[in-house]
Amino acid sequence: ADSLIYGNKCKANGGGVFLDNGGIVRNCTIAGNSAYYGGGVYSGYVYNCIVVRNTTRNTSSPSPVTGSVYYSCLDVMVSGTGNICSEPNFVDETNGDFRIRLDSPCVDAGNDSYVFEATDFLGNPRQVGPVDMGAYEYQLGTAIDIQPDVLSPGTVCTPYSAKLTASGGTSPYSWRVATAVTEPGLREFE
């Protein structure tokens, strides 16, 4: 549980993880592994994991994951309750940083029923709201204050922009619009 499994190669089955006799992986990030069959995970049960960029050399059964998969993010869809097929939005995969960003679809997308550890891979609290998929729980940063310089009236069907200034916390900042109220006829964008 709560492990990063990355860059492994296997000539047989289970490049990242080989589970036998009903083995289980929970809240793991399994990426960049390869094997003949089940490049990421072979057999067993997979819960709340991120399983991406794993390769399988067996062209007749090319799935990088075998076994039962639930509430996990995959780049090749595997049937199972709560699974998503999406880019996980790692902080910096190229340099080995597999933490998820605020805009990751894996944030709050796991199932709390499969969590038994109090901390994630880095020793941070495992649950900051609903559990995340993968080895790293997204950690809310220090609160920041965002203020507009000036918000001038907008015109319907005309592009609009506003300059915002952030202070406090630690940059670089990740952000999203949580709520917005617009005049009737204007569309909201996130």
Side-chain angles (χ1 to χ4, degrees):
D2 297 306
S3 297
L4 171 62
I5 302 160
Y6 174 73
N8 298 290
K9 295 180 182 179
C10 179
K11 291 183 180 181
N13 302 329
V17 179
F18 182 99
L19 298 170
D20 200 9
N21 296 321
I24 298 172
V25 289
R26 291 186 316 272
N27 285 98
C28 291
T29 299
I30 303 165
N33 303 288
S34 67
Y36 179 74
Y37 189 71
V41 179
Y42 178 79
S43 194
Y45 297 89
V46 178
Y47 301 103
N48 294 345
C49 290
I50 298 173
V51 185
V52 295
R53 288 182 260 305
N54 298 287
T55 57
T56 299
R57 294 184 305 278
N58 182 340
T59 56
S60 66
S61 184
S63 178
V65 182
T66 66
S68 301
V69 184
Y70 304 97
Y71 295 93
S72 294
C73 177
L74 308 116
D75 54 3
V76 175
M77 192 57 178
V78 175
S79 65
T81 304
N83 292 337
I84 59 174
C85 184
S86 183
E87 175 60 42
N89 296 340
F90 294 125
V91 169
D92 187 2
E93 180 178 2
T94 303
N95 292 304
D97 189 345
F98 290 90
R99 292 175 299 146
I100 54 176
R101 300 186 322 231
L102 175 62
D103 63 345
S104 172
C106 302
V107 173
D108 296 343
N111 184 316
D112 295 343
S113 300
Y114 302 120
V115 178
F116 300 99
E117 293 76 24
T119 59
D120 70 1
F121 183 66
L122 292 176
N124 293 317
R126 172 39 80 186
Q127 291 188 261
V128 183
V131 70
D132 299 342
M133 294 174 175
Y136 304 94
E137 190 77 10
Y138 179 78
Q139 301 295 309
L140 298 173
T142 304
I144 61 172
D145 183 39
I146 299 177
Q147 297 294 323
D149 284 350
V150 175
L151 289 180
S152 56
T155 303
V156 174
C157 297
T158 303
Y160 181 85
S161 65
K163 181 179 177 185
L164 302 175
T165 303
S167 61
T170 304
S171 68
Y173 301 114
S174 294
W175 63 276
R176 68 178 171 190
V177 175
T179 59
V181 177
T182 59
E183 294 297 319
L186 295 179
R187 296 186 316 180
E188 297 176 12
F189 295 94
E190 186 171 329

